[in-house]
Amino acid sequence: QVQLQESGPGLVKPSETLSLTCAVSGFSISRGYWWGWIRQPPGKGLEWIGSVYHSGTTRNNPSLKSRATISIDTSRNQFSLKVTSLTAADTAVYYCARGLSAGDPSWGRGMLVTVSS
Amino acid sequence: FMLTQPHSVSESPGKTITISCTRSSGNIASNYVQWYQQRPGSAPTTVIFEDNQRPSGVPDRFSGSIDSSSNSASLTISVLMTEDEGAYYCQSYDSDNHVVFGGGTTLTVL
């Protein structure tokens, strides 16, 4: 059974860049699927950030105005997210997930990222 | 496009509820709809995928459907239990694999 685990800093300063990694176990990401990042500000709903296909093709949510970059590393069976120019509005629980457009989606447990000086 | 859900719904234990998810543009039947349950403090879990498929372990009290006439999807939960309380989100995508979530519906089982 596939498992996803987010990792990265829990606290970042305004204007800095957030880097998160999603480690995948129980499934080889090179086999297929879109792999995505989703965030949820405290008390609010889910927001899709972007996705990456096993080939490296990406799709991003225009609402982040090109601040988000997603990449995939099939050799390490993981994919990553970078968000630049952070503000307090980027404070959220960040989730990684597999297969939001086909198959039975699987989600990581999520990690809280706080943007504060 | 957007997916619009009711903000909240409440019902008594043992009853049946239906949560709607209306797509603003494009054909609801063109791209699969997923439904997620999220309890407070926990990650979302899938209760319906590909419009009407239940993951293993999800009880058959949960069912999903789509209605092209209203361009909407629906999640129906029968024989409501208190453990069904939480937020429910619908999700779909467009032809270019841009993902969209509905705003979420809070279910209260009184």
Side-chain angles (χ1 to χ4, degrees), chain B residues 8-73:
Chain B
S8 62
V9 61
S10 60
E11 188 53 272
S12 303
K15 300 291 189 180
T16 296
I17 62 99
T18 297
I19 300 172
S20 63
C21 171
T22 303
R23 181 165 172 160
S24 61
S25 61
N27 189 346
I28 190 73
S30 295
N31 309 103
Y32 288 130
V33 175
Q34 279 65 242
W35 289 91
Y36 305 103
Q37 176 192 63
Q38 186 178 35
R39 296 192 175 103
S42 296
T45 60
T46 308
V47 291
I48 294 290
F49 68 98
E50 292 181 358
D51 297 339
N52 55 20
Q53 302 299 302
R54 270 191 321 277
S56 60
V58 173
D60 60 6
R61 301 185 296 106
F62 290 79
S63 62
S65 63
I66 60 168
D67 180 357
S68 294
S69 66
S70 59
N71 214 37
S72 64

Side-chain angles (χ1 to χ4, degrees), chain A residues 17-114:
Chain A
T17 296
L18 169 66
S19 294
L20 296 177
T21 297
C22 182
V24 179
S25 59
F27 185 89
S28 172
I29 62 175
S30 60
R31 286 177 55 192
Y33 283 104
W34 284 90
W35 302 86
W37 287 97
I38 304 98
R39 69 182 183 180
Q40 185 173 35
K44 296 189 177 180
L46 301 170
E47 178 185 34
W48 173 70
I49 300 170
S51 300
V52 59
Y53 198 51
H54 68 98
S55 62
T57 301
T58 59
R59 296 289 185 265
N60 282 6
N61 188 333
S63 70
L64 273 81
K65 296 181 172 55
S66 302
R67 295 191 298 122
T69 302
I70 298 173
S71 59
I72 196 164
D73 186 341
T74 55
S75 65
R76 295 185 177 184
N77 218 42
Q78 64 187 35
F79 59 106
S80 301
L81 168 70
K82 290 187 190 298
V83 182
T84 61
S85 305
L86 292 170
T87 70
D90 295 305
T91 294
V93 176
Y94 285 74
Y95 298 99
C96 58
R98 181 193 78 171
L100 298 178
S101 53
D104 177 7
S106 297
W107 292 63
R109 291 187 175 184
M111 66 171 298
L112 175 63
V113 175
T114 302

